[in-house]
Amino acid sequence: MKKLFYPESIMVVGVSDTPTNLGRRIVENLERFHFSGPVYPVGREGGNLDGREIYTRIEEVDAPIDLVVFLIPAPFIPEALEVCGEKGMRYAVIESGGFSEFAEENRRLDERVMEIAKKWDIRFVGPNCISIINLENGVVLPFVSLDPGGIKTGPISFVGQSGGIVNATLRLCSNENLGLNKLVSMGNKLDLDENDYLEFLISDQGTKTIGLYLESVSDGRRLMDLAGSARKPVVVLKSNTNTASNQIARFHTTALAGDDEVVSSALRQVGIHRVHTLQEMISAFKIFNLPLMKGPNLAAISRSGGSAVMAADAAHRYGFRLNQFSDSFLKFVRQKARAGVIRMTNPLDLGDVFDLEFYREILHRALKEKGVDGVLFSHVYLSGIDVMSTKHLIRAAKEFSHLYQKPVALCMIPNSGEWFMMRRAADFPIFTEPEDALKALSISHSYYKNITDREPHPRTQFELPTQKAQESEIRSHRVQGPGEVFELFRQYEIPVAEYRLAKDHEEALEAAGLIGYPVALKTADSDVVHKTEAGGVMLNIGNHDELNEALQGIKGDSFLVQKMVDDGHEVFIGGKHDPEFGPVILFGMGGIFVEALHDVVIRVAPITEREAGEMIDGVRGSALLKGFRGGLKADLDALRACLVRVSRLLYEHREVQQLDINPLVVRGEGQGCQVVDAKIFS
Amino acid sequence: MKKLFYPESIMVVGVSDTPTNLGRRIVENLERFHFSGPVYPVGREGGNLDGREIYTRIEEVDAPIDLVVFLIPAPFIPEALEVCGEKGMRYAVIESGGFSEFAEENRRLDERVMEIAKKWDIRFVGPNCISIINLENGVVLPFVSLDPGGIKTGPISFVGQSGGIVNATLRLCSNENLGLNKLVSMGNKLDLDENDYLEFLISDQGTKTIGLYLESVSDGRRLMDLAGSARKPVVVLKSNTNTASNQIARFHTTALAGDDEVVSSALRQVGIHRVHTLQEMISAFKIFNLPLMKGPNLAAISRSGGSAVMAADAAHRYGFRLNQFSDSFLKFVRQKARAGVIRMTNPLDLGDVFDLEFYREILHRALKEKGVDGVLFSHVYLSGIDVMSTKHLIRAAKEFSHLYQKPVALCMIPNSGEWFMMRRAADFPIFTEPEDALKALSISHSYYKNITDREPHPRTQFELPTQKAQESEIRSHRVQGPGEVFELFRQYEIPVAEYRLAKDHEEALEAAGLIGYPVALKTADSDVVHKTEAGGVMLNIGNHDELNEALQGIKGDSFLVQKMVDDGHEVFIGGKHDPEFGPVILFGMGGIFVEALHDVVIRVAPITEREAGEMIDGVRGSALLKGFRGGLKADLDALRACLVRVSRLLYEHREVQQLDINPLVVRGEGQGCQVVDAKIFS
């Protein structure tokens, strides 16, 4: 991959000297951004571009080429790629559109390109993209003219799908004086996808923070593994949240885990910060340019009372602690208060301190305070008059922030004449008001907690589904009844309330005798999905007579007689196969909690014991399990173990489209839990 | 009040000719903003300010004065105000700090000032503020120098507490090219408060949109009445959400309705849009400068595919409908698509239409579409090159938006050189990305729905608490037991499950006989707050023997025997007295729903039947009441009526600090509801 971003020579195919030609813009960008290697333009009509010969055929170029860029009509790509393969080129960029994104009938073209690439071992970017920008070495390949003057080189790399988003990110970063390193517009992701770029950027020296804009996820598990093990922050903007995907309407589970909720859960599971707008992404980039916030202790300093109040509100909202400042700090501040009108609280309101140069020293001392992990400094200054001292303050914030390895979130509202000037005063981020500054600090703090508290758990390296899947003899596209499902559960040691299957009334009566009353009687016909509504379930049958009566009333041709489980909390465990992340597990309290209150937690399977515990804690209704208002304290150990086992089952049985355990009864501490009813759609 | 904003003559007290004097800045501001009436500076040391005589004493000025502005040390204010009163001045501005906000012992000074103001019928702004700016007539009274060049006059008025927030708003609005009309920094609100300013601004011709920044609410009910009946949008930023207020820890009700949740509920109740940051307020100002969004139908047009995807996501998030465009519209667009590569969907991706002048016509036709209530136009343009055509687009958006009386939310990301230029291209708002644009449109749409669907319901004009309060003989600062509470409920026709009070075991047995078994036995001692936990409740007592046994076990000296209410849903109704909004009513489902899931709705009392219905619908767990999964359908008519009655009780009994009905059992349709247990703290 390195050659893609650091080629020593580049060929651009599709160049002419006509002014509207897009290919020539690529050559011009390379020139303008000072790419130092040789560039070979190729175009049918030949000619000359700014003194550079345009070759009429690829074959004419007699030099080693590290990277070839195509901007010719899609139908010509296969032939051209074949020639490049023959000539030994191994990295390509296809910027042309007109593949399957344009019309489904072009899918054959996609396949042809892939065949040729595979044959010659070529990896390529695109098609349908503005491809790659590497500001380190001037490899700037978009076919739109870019101006080096407006773009700053720095530690942030960004991968997006379309050119529009890459451009928007470029502008927003430049406006905020954020330095960029590498940018990728992936286009159709026919060969290389976000995970390939991500893997490269994680190992890339010049990249300290990574932003990903995704409209689809190519391989969710690899994304989780990569981002989850990266030693640099990865910020993900996943859009396209509104696609109605292959919903299987039969079970309600599906509706509970909309694809977008799976994305959010999966990313959170490995500590990736998900944002929903470009501006939120920029805010994350800003804060990740600073040392991380290593604890929850915030010093808030403000020049305006109103801003101090809003800072306190936001600090509370984001869970920061506002400790009291030390006596020596307060003594220091007090000496400069004009009328002594300072309340020595945190937030500290500096409204009465008019010596702006003195602010630097206050900031310095605040960072030195022991009980301070980061500082919010909300600044107000007079336009035109306090410009220099404010610039000094910004530079001091940068210096002290790095000196003490603590973040300083500086916010101010310059007027239009000074807005960008202040942003360029130093390589240091400016926020607008306490809310966005503290939200950013909370992102930094969450990231820090996550990397220091990370559990190694690669989701792609789990033992692969083996013969277990075959053993269980699960047929496809059908609902499995409790009999089959319970047998599968036995293999995974998922406890099921004692039951027996019965083919007729006689067997049912016999089964009840063996199990002991009270029992439940259920239809075992697998095509009755909602048994309760369909009159397929009778509960609390106390003796033979009652059972006889129940057998007369129940629908169905085969039966399941089950021991009644009393005295426990009913919970729900679900599973489904997500198209992007594979098997996921769901947990919630039974009945209305899941269905009307949507109080459900999702995780990508398999999960660890610890993750099982987090799932339980993540459901608000789980207060019930912990002995709410003198109620029964549930056997959480058993529940956690059960969640882990179900997650393994889901992982090892990829043919399971949906799984529904409803209810699992969790009994008192030490009493275990038991599945009462379950079904699987596979 | 009009004289305060439109004085014909102004006196400024506290002026000298020394350069650091703050009072002179007021005089200079008046000059700079072309206030046309006479201005009389007064200052002990006399002298001359830019050719204007400084009077040494107030008495020296022999002219009628409409408004006097004080910027002298606080202790001198009373005397000066007295003189002004004598001279017939009726409006004053006190900018000086140093009153009770500085030290509690200065409260006497507050009182003195109020006494003098009352005596002379003077209304005043402040103290401790930068007071008033009226851009219509140059009445610019802050003691900080302001620059008319950077400030645009327009239809937005803003009222804030501190000067810092007024200044920040001024800058943010100016940067967005939003025109301002009147600004007020209220300071300590010793006399005039937000409601006084709001009342004036509602009737003020020049003001079309009102922003309020509040750190405290002076009279919540008047605020609700004013803002709720205003025929212009009122946007409220209420901060100081984190104040631990007078929490009465005895009942859990209090914790359920944090003061800030009451504020949010009360504002929502009258359709006031609450924001949490200045930037959100600016966004609301932007959209309220345009015609309102009168329906949910959105046309989303974008020049970038990524932006189109994010527009679709955001449209879904904010509940907008993306209807299909008409054939004639699509035919029109198609003619300009370069390679025919346009998907004719909504959002419409114009990536392949390069004729920027043509965009104006597309926008025009989109607004003309029948199924379109508003347009999102996400624009991308080449810096330097497409500047003129983009400015034309902005001006066209303004023209067409007003022509068709539909909003156009235009978003784009100009580079730093063009950022403010585009904002100044017309009197038209620019958003950054689809998310903020659509959030703003949703604010506009909510506001429209609210004003067209408003229920007249003045909360201050309700019949005042009369002798009813005395009748009920409620003592203060104590918990009332069920006996007293049930008697009060009877007066309000709030149904209570049949009960009798009993002083001893014999009376209890007799009572049960009269009521009929099964009964519940409860301690009637009013000091046992949590009866269940304290062993003060026995349920489902089936006969005399069981009751005898229960009486042996129960704690307490007096008893309440109550008919068991079976077959119903248990719900919770609460009430409390909020310091800012007075009596409020709470509703939620019983038990865990309220306490662990915090699924509670709050309204300011009294409420209408319709509001009662909205409360029920606002609770997610109320799905249970509507026959969730074949369960009992509750008597919602009875529940609504009960909520209305409880809300009247709360309104008429201001001495009630907290009320707790838990549970109210709501039975099946037509079966009514009954209070089972209740307590009041007063």
Side-chain angles (χ1 to χ4, degrees):
Chain A
M1 281 289 276
K2 196 164 181 192
K3 277 269 185 283
L4 196 59
F5 291 91
Y6 293 92
E8 281 169 29
S9 54
I10 299 174
M11 175 188 281
V12 184
V13 184
V15 179
S16 86
D17 57 6
T18 42
T20 56
N21 173 262
L22 294 175
R24 67 179 283 174
R25 301 229 180 111
I26 301 172
V27 179
E28 288 160 359
N29 275 333
L30 287 165
E31 187 82 40
R32 216 180 289 119
F33 282 82
H34 308 297
F35 172 64
S36 62
V39 176
Y40 304 96
V42 177
R44 271 190 319 192
E45 290 158 34
N48 192 292
L49 187 65
D50 293 331
R52 209 191 289 264
E53 183 194 348
I54 302 176
Y55 297 85
T56 54
R57 296 174 61 230
I58 295 167
E59 293 88 332
E60 276 177 31
V61 180
D62 187 22
I65 304 287
D66 283 344
L67 178 64
V68 54
V69 184
F70 295 106
L71 192 51
I72 54 177
F76 298 115
I77 297 280
E79 196 189 337
L81 193 63
E82 182 80 51
V83 176
C84 291
E86 261 176 61
K87 281 185 70 79
M89 300 177 215
R90 294 297 168 258
Y91 286 96
V93 162
I94 308 176
E95 304 200 1
S96 332
F99 289 81
S100 60
E101 93 283 354
F102 176 53
E104 191 51 38
E105 58 267 31
N106 293 357
R107 198 160 293 282
R108 181 68 200 114
L109 199 55
D110 289 9
E111 288 162 8
R112 282 268 293 139
V113 171
M114 275 309 284
E115 279 160 26
I116 297 163
K118 286 233 169 85
K119 174 175 158 193
W120 296 108
D121 206 17
I122 296 172
R123 303 304 308 263
F124 65 92
V125 183
N128 187 33
C129 66
I130 60 167
S131 79
I132 282 175
I133 297 172
N134 183 355
L135 292 167
E136 276 188 11
N137 59 357
V139 172
V140 175
L141 303 177
F143 56 83
V144 286
S145 296
L146 292 171
D147 171 18
I151 303 173
K152 188 176 154 190
T153 305
I156 300 163
S157 290
F158 177 77
V159 179
Q161 207 123 0
S162 73
I165 297 296
V166 171
N167 251 314
T169 305
L170 204 62
R171 280 203 186 169
L172 286 171
C173 283
S174 298
N175 288 353
E176 294 289 344
N177 196 34
L178 288 168
L180 291 159
N181 200 281
K182 298 177 178 70
L183 294 116
V184 181
S185 142
M186 300 184 289
N188 295 3
K189 310 196 279 190
L190 186 53
D191 177 31
L192 293 169
D193 67 20
E194 66 268 22
N195 288 329
D196 300 311
Y197 302 112
L198 181 59
E199 189 170 25
F200 171 75
L201 292 173
I202 285 172
S203 68
D204 177 43
Q205 289 270 327
T207 299
K208 305 284 178 231
T209 303
I210 302 168
L212 279 184
Y213 169 85
L214 299 173
E215 288 172 8
S216 65
V217 173
S218 299
D219 178 346
R221 280 169 188 262
R222 199 174 149 219
L223 176 64
M224 287 174 80
D225 277 355
L226 284 170
S229 61
R231 301 180 71 114
K232 40 186 98 167
V234 179
V235 183
V236 174
L237 201 177
K238 166 70 175 61
S239 71
N240 206 12
T241 57
N242 190 23
T243 326
S245 60
N246 319 313
Q247 296 274 3
I248 304 157
R250 287 190 82 139
F251 289 3
H252 66 263
T253 319
T254 316
L256 291 175
D259 294 343
D260 194 55
E261 283 173 81
V262 172
V263 175
S264 284
S265 300
L267 295 180
R268 204 178 309 121
Q269 205 168 340
V270 291
I272 303 179
H273 183 68
R274 183 180 185 182
V275 294
H276 289 87
T277 65
L278 288 174
Q279 291 168 94
E280 272 179 44
M281 177 171 275
I282 299 299
S283 233
F285 287 166
K286 284 184 185 178
I287 209 70
F288 284 130
N289 262 3
L290 300 182
L292 295 175
M293 177 110 180
K294 300 185 190 68
N297 304 305
L298 179 77
I301 303 171
S302 168
R303 277 215 69 193
S304 124
S307 171
V309 170
M310 289 201 278
D313 288 352
H316 178 73
R317 199 151 48 235
Y318 292 110
F320 288 121
R321 263 204 301 266
L322 294 162
N323 295 328
Q324 200 47 259
F325 288 106
S326 72
D327 287 345
S328 66
F329 176 83
L330 293 176
K331 198 174 151 197
F332 178 76
V333 173
R334 211 175 278 125
Q335 61 176 302
K336 287 277 183 167
R338 209 180 44 159
V341 199
I342 283 197
R343 287 206 188 164
M344 292 294 161
T345 53
N346 184 6
L348 182 69
D349 177 358
L350 292 183
D352 198 46
V353 177
F354 286 79
D355 178 357
L356 263 76
E357 300 294 328
F358 184 63
Y359 289 0
R360 292 208 299 274
E361 198 46 37
I362 291 179
L363 180 59
H364 187 178
R365 289 184 184 235
L367 281 163
K368 261 169 95 171
E369 289 279 286
K370 259 195 175 171
V372 167
D373 298 308
V375 174
L376 168 79
F377 198 106
S378 177
H379 187 53
V380 177
Y381 73 95
L382 291 172
S383 299
I385 294 161
D386 299 331
V387 170
M388 276 317 294
S389 53
T390 297
K391 283 185 178 181
H392 287 162
L393 180 66
I394 297 171
R395 288 172 197 145
K398 182 181 172 178
E399 183 193 332
F400 299 144
S401 175
H402 286 96
L403 182 62
Y404 294 101
Q405 283 298 297
K406 296 175 183 179
V408 176
L410 195 56
C411 48
M412 60 179 79
I413 304 177
N415 69 13
S416 59
E418 293 162 9
W419 187 269
F420 294 109
M421 183 205 288
M422 288 307 172
R423 279 159 170 76
R424 286 177 196 141
D427 185 4
F428 196 81
I430 307 288
F431 295 90
T432 298
E433 55 184 324
E435 164 64 27
D436 53 326
L438 288 188
K439 188 175 184 182
L441 281 181
S442 84
I443 290 168
S444 174
H445 183 45
S446 299
Y447 175 72
Y448 178 80
K449 275 192 294 188
N450 187 270
I451 53 167
T452 49
D453 190 36
R454 194 179 271 170
E455 217 184 6
H457 184 213
R459 252 149 270 272
T460 43
Q461 287 161 34
F462 246 82
E463 118 195 32
L464 275 175
T466 56
Q467 68 269 60
K468 281 189 186 175
Q470 288 119 50
E471 266 175 32
S472 64
E473 290 169 36
I474 293 181
R475 277 160 289 161
S476 253
H477 299 296
R478 64 176 206 87
V479 176
Q480 286 172 255
E484 281 170 281
V485 176
F486 291 171
E487 177 51 29
L488 181 61
F489 283 4
R490 202 188 45 76
Q491 295 172 26
Y492 284 87
E493 299 175 48
I494 297 162
V496 177
E498 190 182 355
Y499 70 95
R500 276 164 199 263
L501 292 167
K503 284 192 297 292
D504 52 35
H505 291 195
E506 204 173 318
E507 279 190 28
L509 289 162
E510 196 181 323
L514 288 165
I515 291 170
Y517 291 94
V519 296
L521 176 69
K522 301 173 183 179
T523 175
D525 297 3
S526 61
D527 54 341
V528 184
V529 174
H530 290 301
K531 283 193 290 290
T532 308
E533 286 81 344
V537 176
M538 307 272 189
L539 300 176
N540 270 318
I541 299 166
N543 52 47
H544 262 60
D545 290 348
E546 284 179 29
L547 180 55
N548 247 323
E549 197 181 322
L551 283 163
Q552 302 308 322
I554 199 160
K555 292 187 180 163
D557 300 319
S558 61
F559 311 102
L560 189 140
V561 180
Q562 192 172 35
K563 182 86 184 162
M564 284 299 298
V565 184
D566 52 3
D567 248 18
H569 294 285
E570 297 199 348
V571 305
F572 158 86
I573 300 178
K576 68 164 211 162
H577 193 90
D578 180 81
E580 293 174 334
F581 288 88
V584 298
I585 181 168
L586 289 81
F587 171 72
M589 299 301 293
I592 188 157
F593 289 97
V594 164
E595 301 185 37
L597 279 80
H598 206 100
D599 187 17
V600 177
V601 168
I602 306 170
R603 285 287 185 286
V604 173
I607 56 168
T608 60
E609 280 261 340
R610 173 172 152 175
E611 284 174 322
E614 288 165 1
M615 286 187 85
I616 297 168
D617 292 339
V619 157
R620 284 163 301 159
S622 67
L624 281 175
L625 300 176
K626 294 161 190 170
F628 174 77
R629 287 236 152 184
L632 178 76
K633 281 190 186 167
D635 190 338
L636 295 179
D637 291 338
L639 175 57
R640 273 192 298 270
C642 186
L643 283 163
V644 169
R645 287 167 190 166
V646 172
S647 81
R648 272 202 92 88
L649 183 157
L650 289 163
Y651 182 74
E652 291 173 354
H653 290 271
R654 304 289 173 103
E655 76 285 1
V656 173
Q657 289 299 306
Q658 292 199 44
L659 169 121
D660 218 31
I661 299 176
N662 199 4
L664 172 82
V665 175
V666 189
R667 304 170 74 183
E669 286 175 327
Q671 308 281 304
C673 60
Q674 288 185 310
V675 173
V676 170
D677 205 356
K679 56 194 176 235
I680 282 177
F681 182 76
S682 57
Chain B
M1 280 288 278
K2 198 163 181 194
K3 278 268 186 280
L4 196 58
F5 292 92
Y6 293 93
E8 282 169 29
S9 55
I10 299 175
M11 175 188 280
V12 184
V13 183
V15 179
S16 87
D17 58 5
T18 43
T20 56
N21 173 262
L22 294 175
R24 66 179 281 175
R25 302 232 178 110
I26 302 174
V27 180
E28 287 160 0
N29 275 333
L30 286 165
E31 187 81 41
R32 216 181 288 118
F33 282 81
H34 307 297
F35 172 65
S36 62
V39 176
Y40 304 96
V42 177
R44 272 192 315 192
E45 288 158 35
N48 193 292
L49 187 64
D50 293 331
R52 210 191 288 264
E53 183 193 349
I54 302 176
Y55 296 85
T56 52
R57 296 174 63 231
I58 295 168
E59 293 89 334
E60 276 176 31
V61 180
D62 187 21
I65 304 288
D66 282 345
L67 179 64
V68 54
V69 184
F70 296 106
L71 192 51
I72 54 177
F76 298 114
I77 297 281
E79 194 189 339
L81 192 64
E82 182 81 51
V83 176
C84 291
E86 261 175 61
K87 281 186 69 81
M89 301 179 214
R90 293 297 166 258
Y91 285 96
V93 163
I94 307 175
E95 303 200 2
S96 332
F99 290 81
S100 59
E101 92 284 354
F102 175 54
E104 190 50 40
E105 58 265 31
N106 293 356
R107 198 160 292 283
R108 181 69 201 114
L109 198 54
D110 289 8
E111 289 162 8
R112 281 269 293 138
V113 172
M114 275 308 286
E115 279 161 25
I116 296 164
K118 285 233 170 82
K119 172 175 160 195
W120 297 107
D121 205 17
I122 296 171
R123 301 306 306 263
F124 64 92
V125 183
N128 187 31
C129 65
I130 61 167
S131 79
I132 282 175
I133 297 173
N134 183 356
L135 292 167
E136 277 189 11
N137 60 355
V139 172
V140 176
L141 304 178
F143 56 82
V144 287
S145 295
L146 291 171
D147 171 18
I151 303 172
K152 189 175 152 189
T153 305
I156 300 163
S157 290
F158 177 78
V159 179
Q161 207 122 2
S162 72
I165 296 296
V166 171
N167 250 316
T169 305
L170 203 62
R171 281 203 184 169
L172 286 171
C173 283
S174 298
N175 288 353
E176 294 290 342
N177 195 35
L178 288 168
L180 291 159
N181 201 281
K182 297 177 179 68
L183 294 115
V184 181
S185 143
M186 300 184 288
N188 295 2
K189 308 197 280 190
L190 186 54
D191 176 30
L192 293 169
D193 67 21
E194 65 268 23
N195 288 327
D196 299 311
Y197 301 112
L198 181 59
E199 190 171 25
F200 171 75
L201 292 173
I202 285 172
S203 69
D204 177 44
Q205 290 271 326
T207 299
K208 305 285 178 231
T209 303
I210 302 167
L212 280 184
Y213 170 85
L214 299 174
E215 287 172 8
S216 65
V217 173
S218 299
D219 177 348
R221 281 170 187 260
R222 196 172 151 221
L223 176 64
M224 287 173 81
D225 277 356
L226 283 170
S229 60
R231 300 180 70 113
K232 37 187 100 167
V234 179
V235 183
V236 174
L237 202 178
K238 165 71 174 63
S239 71
N240 207 11
T241 58
N242 191 22
T243 325
S245 60
N246 320 316
Q247 296 276 0
I248 305 157
R250 290 189 80 141
F251 288 4
H252 65 264
T253 319
T254 317
L256 291 174
D259 295 343
D260 195 53
E261 283 173 80
V262 172
V263 174
S264 285
S265 300
L267 295 180
R268 206 178 308 120
Q269 204 168 340
V270 291
I272 303 180
H273 183 68
R274 182 179 185 182
V275 292
H276 288 88
T277 65
L278 288 174
Q279 289 167 96
E280 272 179 43
M281 176 170 275
I282 298 299
S283 232
F285 286 166
K286 284 184 185 180
I287 209 71
F288 283 129
N289 260 4
L290 300 182
L292 295 176
M293 177 111 180
K294 299 186 190 67
N297 304 304
L298 179 77
I301 302 172
S302 168
R303 279 214 69 193
S304 126
S307 170
V309 171
M310 288 201 278
D313 289 351
H316 178 72
R317 199 153 47 236
Y318 292 111
F320 289 121
R321 263 204 302 264
L322 293 161
N323 295 329
Q324 200 47 259
F325 289 106
S326 72
D327 287 344
S328 66
F329 176 82
L330 293 176
K331 199 175 150 195
F332 177 77
V333 173
R334 210 176 276 125
Q335 62 175 299
K336 287 278 184 170
R338 211 179 45 156
V341 200
I342 284 198
R343 288 208 187 161
M344 292 294 161
T345 52
N346 183 7
L348 182 70
D349 177 358
L350 292 182
D352 198 45
V353 177
F354 286 78
D355 178 357
L356 262 75
E357 300 293 328
F358 184 63
Y359 289 0
R360 292 208 298 275
E361 198 46 37
I362 292 178
L363 180 59
H364 186 180
R365 289 186 183 232
L367 281 163
K368 260 169 96 170
E369 289 279 286
K370 260 195 175 167
V372 167
D373 298 307
V375 174
L376 169 79
F377 198 105
S378 176
H379 187 53
V380 176
Y381 73 94
L382 291 171
S383 301
I385 295 162
D386 299 331
V387 170
M388 275 317 294
S389 52
T390 297
K391 283 186 177 180
H392 288 160
L393 180 67
I394 297 170
R395 288 170 197 145
K398 182 183 172 176
E399 183 192 333
F400 299 142
S401 175
H402 286 96
L403 182 62
Y404 294 101
Q405 282 296 300
K406 296 175 182 177
V408 176
L410 194 57
C411 48
M412 60 179 77
I413 305 177
N415 69 15
S416 60
E418 293 161 11
W419 186 270
F420 294 109
M421 183 203 290
M422 289 306 171
R423 280 161 169 74
R424 286 176 196 143
D427 185 4
F428 195 80
I430 307 288
F431 294 90
T432 297
E433 54 184 324
E435 164 66 25
D436 53 327
L438 288 187
K439 188 175 184 182
L441 281 180
S442 82
I443 290 169
S444 174
H445 183 45
S446 298
Y447 175 71
Y448 177 80
K449 276 191 295 189
N450 186 269
I451 53 168
T452 49
D453 190 36
R454 194 179 270 170
E455 216 184 5
H457 185 211
R459 253 150 269 272
T460 43
Q461 286 160 34
F462 247 83
E463 117 194 33
L464 274 176
T466 55
Q467 67 270 58
K468 282 188 184 175
Q470 287 120 48
E471 268 175 31
S472 65
E473 292 171 34
I474 293 184
R475 277 160 289 160
S476 253
H477 299 296
R478 62 177 208 86
V479 176
Q480 288 170 254
E484 280 170 282
V485 175
F486 290 170
E487 177 52 29
L488 181 61
F489 283 4
R490 202 187 47 72
Q491 295 173 25
Y492 283 86
E493 298 175 52
I494 297 163
V496 178
E498 190 183 352
Y499 70 94
R500 278 164 198 265
L501 292 167
K503 284 193 296 293
D504 52 33
H505 292 193
E506 203 174 319
E507 277 189 30
L509 288 163
E510 194 181 324
L514 289 164
I515 291 169
Y517 290 94
V519 296
L521 175 69
K522 302 172 183 179
T523 175
D525 298 2
S526 60
D527 56 340
V528 183
V529 174
H530 290 300
K531 284 194 290 290
T532 309
E533 287 82 345
V537 177
M538 308 270 188
L539 300 176
N540 270 318
I541 298 165
N543 51 47
H544 263 59
D545 290 348
E546 285 179 27
L547 181 54
N548 247 324
E549 197 181 323
L551 283 164
Q552 302 309 320
I554 200 160
K555 294 189 179 160
D557 299 320
S558 60
F559 311 103
L560 188 140
V561 180
Q562 192 171 35
K563 181 87 182 158
M564 283 300 297
V565 184
D566 51 5
D567 247 19
H569 295 285
E570 296 199 348
V571 304
F572 160 86
I573 299 178
K576 66 164 214 163
H577 192 90
D578 180 81
E580 291 173 336
F581 288 89
V584 299
I585 179 168
L586 289 81
F587 171 72
M589 299 301 294
I592 188 159
F593 290 96
V594 163
E595 302 185 38
L597 278 80
H598 207 97
D599 188 16
V600 177
V601 168
I602 307 169
R603 286 285 185 287
V604 173
I607 57 168
T608 61
E609 280 260 342
R610 173 172 154 173
E611 284 174 322
E614 287 165 1
M615 286 186 85
I616 297 168
D617 292 340
V619 158
R620 284 163 302 160
S622 68
L624 280 175
L625 300 177
K626 294 159 190 170
F628 175 77
R629 287 236 151 183
L632 178 77
K633 281 192 188 169
D635 190 338
L636 294 180
D637 292 338
L639 175 57
R640 273 193 298 272
C642 186
L643 282 164
V644 170
R645 288 167 190 166
V646 172
S647 80
R648 272 202 91 87
L649 183 156
L650 288 164
Y651 182 75
E652 291 172 356
H653 290 271
R654 304 289 173 104
E655 77 284 2
V656 172
Q657 290 298 305
Q658 292 199 46
L659 167 115
D660 218 30
I661 300 177
N662 199 3
L664 173 81
V665 176
V666 189
R667 303 168 76 181
E669 286 174 326
Q671 308 282 304
C673 60
Q674 289 185 311
V675 174
V676 170
D677 205 356
K679 53 190 178 241
I680 282 177
F681 181 77
S682 55

